[in-house]
Amino acid sequence: MIENIKLELKELLEKYFLNTYNLELNIVVEEPKKKELGDISIPSFVVVKALRKPLNDCVNEIVNVIKDLDIVKSYQIMGGFINIVINKEEIAKEILDKIIKEGSNYGNGVKKNETIVLDYSSPNIAKPFSIGHLRSTIIGASLKLIFEKGGYNTFGINHLGDWGSQFGKVIVAYKKWGNDNSVKENSLSELAKLYVRFHDEAKTNPELEDEAREVFKELELGNEEYLKLWKWFREESINEALKLYDMLNVKFDSYNGEAFYNDKMDAIVKELEDKKLLVEDDGAMIVDLGESMPPALIKRRDGASLYMTRDLAAVEYRKKEYNFKKALYVVGNEQKLHFNQLRSVISKMGYDYADDIIHVNFGLVLQDGKKMSTRSGRVVTLIDVLNEAIKMAYKQIDEKNPNLENKEEVSKKIGIGAVIFNDLKNHRSLDYEFNLEQMLKFEGQTGPYLQYTDVRIKSILNSCKATNEFDYSLFEKPHYYALIKDIDEFSLNINKAMEDYAPSVICKYLLNLASDFNTFYGLEKINNENEVIRNTNLKLLSAIKIVLEEGLRLIDIFPLERM
Ligand code: ARG
């Protein structure tokens, strides 16, 4: 809304200069560097330059156009700037009424008939589920919610690493050392164990590698026994990953992984051939990508298919099937080259959707400055990490509020929310430090701090009586207006988060909103004896609550009633 006011002023002035001087100007309407100077600032330099008139004359002309507008309460000329204080009563009323009327729909983008496809989590079956996959899961899930809020259709794909030479190894290892029950109980971790054992034993017994290659080749040719094992490993692994997804409240629209593209790769290879892009290189097939990058490997010397080939088949399939506006791949920084190559091959094939392939890259999780690995990153240990967070949250609750009902349920929401918030709050491309104690603090930049602020607001709302008379002139005060401005900027921040594929934008926004609220709370007696003041305060709080909870939902964090 305040954005619109700026835009209207801009258009009004541009129209004036067009009509009066036949000049097409780009008038800047911004916010002053310092809040004390006003709400809106118009620098006159563009006009001075275009009209070639003295500064004062130009400033006066601008002032004449705007000074009688309703929205302008007062103005001040400072150097070449016109600083405007706007009338806040009407704005505050409109914004509050809108939020309260729209509820959780507030901030929704215009419905677009466009689809964003998101590829996230995507662990490798028969290899460890790493902390990186946890990051991908959390970032992808949040982006999906943000794009839905922004008015897009979304489609979430768990591009399981369910095909590849590792299956040769795991099948060999399983037949030698595995047993049914342990795979049933702890499939992902059990298979990872077998995978690790295979590598250990292969160090002294390199023939194992040949055996595994042979087995994978037969698997690709359709060996029934191996296919059955593969299928079983795959199912058990998905079931185990689901436990983690359940805890995190993450869902997918499809589990079509790499294996799904097995029968779609010949077509891609043929297309590359027809387009004269495929060249032979020492027995292998590659696409040359020029000076700037190494070639993309399409077929290995032994004929085995590759990660890249499957991704090429996958992106073509996704374009045909979902006609995506953007295809997002939430994958760690270390696969930058892979996605550059993917984009480059697609572009060489003549498809302009190459530009819509977006690598949503992210950094490492560190512990004491070093890359974190949860003892080979097994999914069970990831669940252990979440359980540890829950336990620590429980301890805090137990100290602060021992009589709270359903402490277990509450600790779960706090503990998991803390891990999620800590992951999302810094820009995804950065590495971050994993410190459970820090992320569980009730103050500072944490998930629990936001949940706590929300609980505080709700407990005030529940304990105060409101009627229906308001005094919007209160919003002339800076700590009142700061909050109006915050809640007004919700959709602006959703747009920013979509532009940069960055849930951290929403996190920072919510931290700022919570901090402005807590300042307000320190300055103002919300349950004021004066009925009109009290009502106005409560109306403001109701609106903040709506925005805060909707914001929390977008970063996959549950609000609480008590904590
Ligand atoms: N399974 C891969 C890995 O763990 C990530 C897959 C990402 N998605 C994709 N379409 N390449 O490294």
Side-chain angles (χ1 to χ4, degrees):
M1 163 122 198
I2 298 167
E3 266 324 286
N4 287 345
I5 293 172
K6 285 196 238 160
L7 206 65
E8 276 165 29
L9 285 175
K10 178 183 165 70
E11 282 169 2
L12 187 70
L13 285 164
E14 285 175 357
K15 212 158 111 200
Y16 168 81
F17 286 106
L18 186 66
N19 291 345
T20 322
Y21 297 99
N22 203 15
L23 280 174
E24 266 186 51
L25 300 184
N26 178 17
I27 303 285
V28 179
V29 178
E30 56 190 18
E31 283 173 35
K33 302 277 171 300
K34 289 194 194 126
K35 272 192 203 148
E36 303 79 66
L37 294 176
D39 306 304
I40 287 177
S41 180
I42 306 174
S44 56
F45 310 112
V46 186
V47 179
V48 175
K49 205 171 150 205
L51 295 194
R52 295 185 202 169
K53 281 198 200 170
L55 179 74
N56 278 350
D57 294 356
C58 295
V59 167
N60 284 336
E61 264 193 66
I62 295 177
V63 165
N64 277 333
V65 177
I66 58 150
K67 70 175 194 306
D68 294 326
L69 297 172
D70 282 346
I71 190 72
V72 177
K73 186 177 164 113
S74 64
Y75 63 89
Q76 208 183 15
I77 297 162
M78 264 183 85
F81 292 87
I82 299 114
N83 293 329
I84 301 168
V85 173
I86 57 176
N87 257 321
K88 303 187 177 81
E89 282 185 44
E90 199 45 42
I91 296 174
K93 180 181 183 315
E94 259 183 61
I95 291 172
L96 291 177
D97 283 341
K98 182 174 165 69
I99 296 175
I100 285 161
K101 184 171 146 237
E102 296 183 358
S104 62
N105 288 325
Y106 174 69
N108 284 5
V110 185
K111 197 102 192 79
K112 303 159 192 61
N113 206 355
E114 288 170 336
T115 302
I116 306 289
V117 168
L118 300 100
D119 176 321
Y120 57 109
S121 196
S122 310
N124 300 318
I125 287 169
K127 273 193 196 169
F129 191 115
S130 73
I131 191 110
H133 294 119
L134 181 70
R135 280 213 86 177
S136 171
T137 309
I138 293 172
I139 296 168
S142 172
L143 285 176
K144 187 166 192 289
L145 294 166
I146 292 170
F147 274 96
E148 262 159 30
K149 179 89 183 161
Y152 291 92
N153 303 322
T154 64
F155 197 82
I157 302 174
N158 195 334
H159 186 78
L160 292 172
D162 58 1
W163 202 253
S165 53
Q166 78 263 29
F167 280 96
K169 298 175 186 176
V170 172
I171 290 172
V172 169
Y174 174 76
K175 291 188 69 155
K176 286 194 196 306
W177 315 300
N179 78 62
D180 294 15
N181 283 335
S182 52
V183 172
K184 258 205 190 84
E185 271 156 33
N186 269 323
S187 43
L188 273 184
S189 44
E190 196 51 41
L191 294 175
K193 246 192 238 162
L194 288 171
Y195 184 76
V196 171
R197 175 147 179 203
F198 178 91
H199 278 274
D200 284 346
E201 304 241 356
K203 272 183 215 140
T204 51
N205 184 4
E207 280 111 72
L208 280 175
E209 296 277 2
D210 297 328
E211 220 177 300
R213 243 191 305 275
E214 198 47 44
V215 167
F216 181 58
K217 207 166 175 182
E218 281 186 41
L219 179 65
E220 289 219 279
L221 291 172
N223 176 307
E224 266 178 39
E225 182 199 356
Y226 298 159
L227 266 176
K228 225 171 111 189
L229 278 175
W230 168 79
K231 228 182 180 153
W232 179 51
F233 291 163
R234 184 180 187 275
E235 257 159 45
E236 295 291 341
S237 301
I238 293 178
N239 284 339
E240 193 173 332
L242 277 173
K243 290 183 207 157
L244 187 70
Y245 298 147
D246 238 28
M247 284 178 97
L248 294 168
N249 185 36
V250 169
K251 289 180 191 63
F252 299 90
D253 300 304
S254 157
Y255 282 83
N256 282 344
E258 295 190 37
F260 179 76
Y261 301 99
N262 277 343
D263 61 359
K264 300 172 182 61
M265 275 183 296
D266 288 348
I268 272 283
V269 174
K270 178 154 189 309
E271 191 181 342
L272 287 170
E273 235 162 38
D274 290 349
K275 292 185 172 162
K276 308 254 176 307
L277 292 170
L278 212 55
V279 287
E280 206 198 296
D281 182 64
D282 195 19
M285 297 307 254
I286 60 168
V287 174
D288 184 45
L289 299 175
E291 299 282 281
S292 61
M293 309 170 225
L297 193 51
I298 303 298
K299 225 173 185 162
R300 269 207 325 230
R301 199 158 29 162
D302 63 6
S305 61
L306 287 153
Y307 184 53
M308 173 62 79
T309 325
R310 285 190 278 271
D311 256 336
L312 283 167
V315 76
E316 268 210 9
Y317 177 84
R318 289 171 192 178
K319 187 64 194 174
K320 281 205 190 89
E321 198 69 12
Y322 315 114
N323 190 23
F324 57 74
K325 160 102 175 146
K326 302 268 178 210
L328 313 188
Y329 295 81
V330 187
V331 187
N333 286 333
E334 65 282 357
Q335 289 194 31
K336 200 169 181 161
L337 174 62
H338 172 76
F339 287 103
N340 279 338
Q341 290 177 316
L342 179 67
R343 206 179 299 116
S344 181
V345 175
I346 290 293
S347 152
K348 276 189 175 297
M349 291 169 87
Y351 296 119
D352 50 13
Y353 69 79
D355 294 336
D356 303 324
I357 296 174
I358 313 285
H359 178 203
V360 180
N361 60 317
F362 57 80
L364 298 174
V365 183
L366 306 174
Q367 211 160 26
D368 304 320
K370 285 198 288 281
K371 181 172 173 175
M372 178 175 176
S373 83
T374 50
R375 274 171 297 142
S376 86
R378 288 177 258 137
V379 69
V380 255
T381 60
L382 285 179
I383 289 181
D384 288 347
V385 169
L386 294 183
N387 280 330
E388 182 64 26
I390 294 169
K391 229 167 70 196
M392 285 169 74
Y394 188 93
K395 231 178 100 202
Q396 285 200 62
I397 297 281
D398 212 27
E399 277 163 23
K400 289 197 163 83
N401 194 355
N403 300 322
L404 186 74
E405 276 172 42
N406 50 33
K407 274 188 273 193
E408 247 113 72
E409 197 46 41
V410 172
S411 329
K412 215 168 138 186
K413 289 178 176 163
I414 295 177
I416 292 174
V419 173
I420 293 177
F421 190 79
N422 189 60
D423 192 294
L424 295 180
K425 76 172 176 186
N426 295 311
H427 193 272
R428 56 182 164 72
S429 62
L430 304 171
D431 299 345
Y432 78 84
E433 185 71 30
F434 196 89
N435 180 330
L436 274 177
E437 227 154 87
Q438 282 294 334
M439 64 180 90
L440 277 158
K441 289 210 165 118
F442 279 31
E443 309 96 41
Q445 310 206 333
T446 66
Y449 167 70
L450 294 179
Q451 285 168 317
Y452 186 68
T453 303
D454 178 51
V455 165
R456 175 180 266 172
I457 291 173
K458 282 190 281 203
S459 96
I460 299 169
L461 286 172
N462 288 333
S463 65
C464 303
K465 240 185 81 204
T467 53
N468 246 336
E469 232 180 291
F470 307 100
D471 175 8
Y472 295 101
S473 73
L474 287 170
F475 291 98
E476 303 288 351
K477 297 188 193 176
H479 59 292
Y480 272 88
Y481 182 63
L483 283 164
I484 285 292
K485 206 158 168 303
D486 289 343
I487 52 183
D488 180 51
E489 284 173 358
F490 188 37
S491 53
L492 205 73
N493 280 278
I494 294 168
N495 288 340
K496 260 199 229 160
M498 290 194 293
E499 260 161 47
D500 195 23
Y501 312 102
S504 59
V505 172
I506 304 293
C507 296
K508 298 230 156 71
Y509 170 75
L510 293 175
L511 285 172
N512 182 53
L513 174 63
S515 142
D516 282 346
F517 167 73
N518 285 313
T519 304
F520 179 85
Y521 181 77
L523 290 170
E524 216 46 54
K525 184 169 181 208
I526 294 173
N527 193 7
N528 206 293
E529 296 79 24
N530 177 316
E531 187 180 330
V532 177
I533 297 181
R534 182 173 72 238
N535 286 340
T536 313
N537 291 345
L538 293 174
K539 185 165 182 177
L540 175 61
L541 260 61
S542 305
I544 295 172
K545 178 201 135 208
I546 289 169
V547 175
L548 186 55
E549 292 194 349
E550 185 58 5
L552 284 173
R553 189 183 69 77
L554 296 182
I555 50 172
D556 194 27
I557 293 183
F558 284 103
L560 296 161
E561 290 313 309
R562 276 190 192 78
M563 68 191 270

